[in-house]
Amino acid sequence: VKPGAMGVMMRSRGRYFKGHLLCAAVAAFVTRTLMPQALVSLHRTQQTAPPSLTRSGDVAPAEAWMGKVVPNMVFASIAAAAVATVGGRSLLTGQARPSRQLSCDRAQQDVRPVPIHVDDEEANLAKSAPKNLYELFGTSSTADEKDIKKKYYDLQKLCHPDVAGPEGEEMCILLNDAWELLSDPEKRKDYDAQIELAKPSALMKVAPEVSTDLSPTWKGNRKTLKHHSDYTGIPLSRSKWHQVPPEDRGEKHAQEKMVFVDEWACICCRNCCDVAPQTFCIQNDNGRANVYTQWGNSEEYLDYAVASCPVDCIYWVSREELQVLEYVTAEKMVEDKGQLPCPLSFMQGMVNEPPNDPFAEANRFKAKREEDERRKQLASKDDATAKMEVWFQRILKVFENLSEKLRRSVMPYIQK
C-alpha cells in the first residue's frame, strides 16, 4: 500500500473519518505482513505433532505453540472481517452509510401527490373576500373620509403596477372606483342605504318605532343615557305640564312650551336651581345644570329662571324641538364621556374653537333623518340587493386574479 493510499480524511467535530480507505489499508497491511507469518507457522506445526495439552509434562511446548499460531490467526481473522465490511460500514463510526442514490430513490417514493380541491379553494376565497367597499378598505360604515383615504393610499402602495406588476392593475382600478364613490358624500349616502336594504331581514337592524305624538305630556320618568341609544321621539325629561295649577299657568303654558339648558354654555352658577328647584338640577357627571322635570314649578318662576341666567343658556322651546335637543345633547355627552370644556375659556379668548352648539347639532340630526327616509323610499330592497351583488362579484373576480403572494400582502390591511 502506498503512503498516498492512506488518504484518511479527518474532518471537524461531529463528522467521521473516511473509514473505507482506512479499512482497505489495514487489510492490505495484514495481508502482506501477518498472513504469510501465520501460514509459515501453520506449515511448521504440521510437520511435528502438536503437543498434547492434557499431559502435565508438555505444558511448556503447548504454550509456545499457542503463542506462535493463535496471534497470527487472530490478525488474519480481523483482516478478513475488515475486508468484508469495507463496502457497507465504517469501522470508526459503527454506522451504516447508505448509498446517496438509494436515499434519493426512497425520498422520491415517499413523495405522494396532495389532492387539491378547487371547489374548497373557491369557497374559502368567497368567504374571505370583502363583501362591500368598506370591508375592501378595512373600515366600518361609520369611518370618516380621512380614515378611508389612508387605507386607500396604503393599498395602492401594495397593488400599484409599478410595485406589484401587471397583476395589480385590476386591483388598482377597483380601489380607484371604490374611493371615488365613498369620497362623494351623496354617492356614499346612497351606497349606505343600499347596504342597509340589502341585508337579510334577520340581520337588519330593527330601529325602534319613533313616536309621532307631540303632546306636552308623555309617559315615563327622566332618563339618563349611559351609552349610545336609538332615537325614539320621546324627550328624556319628564313632564308635569298637565299638573300645573290653573293659577300658575300663563302664555308659555298655553303654547305648550318647554325649557332647555345649553350645557356647553352653562357656568354652574346654580341660579336656576335656586329659583325653580323642582325643575332644574345640577348633574353629578359634568356639574352642569339640566332640566329633569318640565313644569315642575309655576310659569312665573320658570320665566324668572330663564331671564336671570347670567349667560343666557336657558331657552323656551317647542315640544318637537325639545325631544331632538335632549337626544343630541345626551349622545354628545356619551361620546365625550361627560368631559365638557370650560365655557369661560372661550369667552375670555383662551380657546379659539367655540363650544358645541346643540341647536346646530339638532338641525343636522333632523336633516339626516329626513334624507335617510327619502333614500329608503326611493330605493327598493331588490334593487339594492342587485347593486350590492354586482360590487361583490367584481371584488371576488379581482381577488381570484391576484397571485397568492399579493393576496397575502393585501389581506392584513383588509382584515384590520
Side-chain angles (χ1 to χ4, degrees):
V1 179
K2 297 181 180 180
M6 296 290 293
V8 180
M9 301 175 62
M10 297 183 65
R11 299 193 178 184
S12 61
R13 185 179 182 182
R15 301 185 181 181
Y16 51 80
F17 297 99
K18 288 291 184 178
H20 293 69
L21 298 178
L22 181 61
C23 291
V26 171
F29 174 76
V30 173
T31 304
R32 282 194 174 192
T33 59
L34 300 181
M35 187 62 72
Q37 295 179 10
L39 293 176
V40 170
S41 300
L42 183 62
H43 177 70
R44 289 177 180 177
T45 55
Q46 288 177 355
Q47 295 179 0
T48 60
S52 176
L53 300 178
T54 58
R55 297 166 59 181
S56 60
D58 299 333
V59 174
E63 291 180 354
W65 183 82
M66 292 292 291
K68 294 180 179 180
V69 178
V70 172
N72 294 333
M73 296 299 293
V74 170
F75 281 111
S77 300
I78 293 175
V83 173
T85 57
V86 165
R89 185 178 297 273
S90 173
L91 291 176
L92 295 179
T93 60
Q95 296 179 356
R97 296 184 62 194
S99 172
R100 290 186 177 182
Q101 184 65 31
L102 181 60
S103 300
C104 295
D105 293 341
R106 289 179 179 176
Q108 292 178 358
Q109 293 176 2
D110 292 339
V111 176
R112 297 178 177 84
V114 179
I116 300 176
H117 302 285
V118 180
D119 295 340
D120 295 343
E121 289 187 354
E122 293 180 353
N124 293 333
L125 179 59
K127 186 181 297 184
S128 60
K131 303 299 186 297
N132 54 56
L133 300 184
Y134 292 110
E135 293 185 7
L136 177 63
F137 289 119
T139 59
S140 63
S141 58
T142 59
D144 57 12
E145 184 177 342
K146 183 179 179 180
D147 294 338
I148 299 176
K149 187 176 183 178
K150 183 180 183 303
K151 290 297 185 70
Y152 166 71
Y153 284 149
D154 291 342
L155 290 173
Q156 283 286 15
K157 292 177 183 178
L158 294 174
C159 304
H160 197 275
D162 293 344
V163 178
E167 64 181 77
E169 183 177 357
E170 292 186 7
M171 186 67 175
C172 279
I173 296 175
L174 175 63
L175 292 173
N176 289 335
D177 294 343
W179 168 245
E180 181 182 0
L181 187 149
L182 296 181
S183 60
D184 189 321
E186 294 299 323
K187 292 181 180 179
R188 183 176 177 179
K189 290 179 181 179
D190 292 336
Y191 185 73
D192 292 343
Q194 293 173 11
I195 293 178
E196 191 65 26
L197 288 174
K199 290 181 181 179
S201 300
L203 299 179
M204 288 185 64
K205 182 180 179 181
V206 180
E209 183 179 357
V210 178
S211 176
T212 58
D213 184 13
L214 298 179
S215 62
T217 304
W218 53 90
K219 295 181 180 180
N221 296 325
R222 177 177 180 267
K223 305 176 186 65
T224 301
L225 296 185
K226 298 298 182 181
H227 52 80
H228 292 288
S229 303
D230 295 315
Y231 178 69
T232 60
I234 301 176
L236 299 179
S237 58
R238 64 175 181 174
S239 175
K240 288 187 176 181
W241 179 87
H242 62 292
Q243 298 180 7
V244 178
E247 62 274 12
D248 292 337
R249 299 177 182 181
E251 182 180 358
K252 298 294 191 304
H253 188 274
Q255 295 175 354
E256 300 180 355
K257 293 290 185 178
M258 308 292 168
V259 287
F260 170 76
V261 178
D262 181 1
E263 299 180 25
W264 282 270
C266 177
I267 60 174
C268 316
C269 66
R270 301 184 61 90
N271 177 73
C272 57
C273 299
D274 296 335
V275 175
Q278 302 301 322
T279 301
F280 300 95
C281 69
I282 298 295
Q283 299 184 94
N284 294 328
D285 51 356
N286 57 25
R288 307 296 173 89
N290 180 267
V291 178
Y292 71 94
T293 302
Q294 298 290 341
W295 293 99
N297 297 94
S298 64
E299 184 172 334
E300 180 182 1
Y301 285 105
L302 294 178
D303 268 334
Y304 184 73
V306 173
S308 62
C309 178
V311 291
D312 296 329
C313 66
I314 306 176
Y315 303 88
W316 285 105
V317 296
S318 65
R319 161 70 164 81
E320 185 178 4
E321 292 174 329
L322 176 68
Q323 60 196 28
V324 179
L325 286 169
E326 289 187 345
Y327 175 77
V328 297
T329 298
E331 285 288 301
K332 189 65 176 176
M333 290 294 176
V334 172
E335 182 179 345
D336 296 340
K337 298 180 180 180
Q339 301 297 324
L340 300 180
C342 178
L344 295 178
S345 60
F346 176 73
M347 298 178 183
Q348 297 173 357
M350 300 174 61
V351 178
N352 296 328
E353 185 178 356
N356 185 65
D357 185 0
F359 290 91
E361 291 285 345
N363 291 333
R364 285 192 290 268
F365 177 77
K366 290 173 62 177
K368 184 178 182 302
R369 279 185 50 83
E370 294 173 358
E371 183 66 17
D372 292 344
E373 191 64 28
R374 184 186 68 83
R375 293 179 185 276
K376 288 182 180 181
Q377 292 177 358
L378 293 177
S380 63
K381 183 177 179 62
D382 295 338
D383 183 46
T385 303
K387 291 181 179 179
M388 292 299 299
E389 184 65 21
V390 170
W391 273 110
F392 175 68
Q393 291 300 328
R394 183 181 174 185
I395 294 173
L396 184 60
K397 182 179 178 180
V398 171
F399 271 74
E400 288 177 350
N401 295 333
L402 291 179
S403 64
E404 185 66 22
K405 180 180 179 181
L406 184 56
R407 191 184 306 165
R408 290 181 180 273
S409 301
V410 169
M411 289 307 292
Y413 289 87
I414 295 176
Q415 296 175 349
K416 284 184 179 180

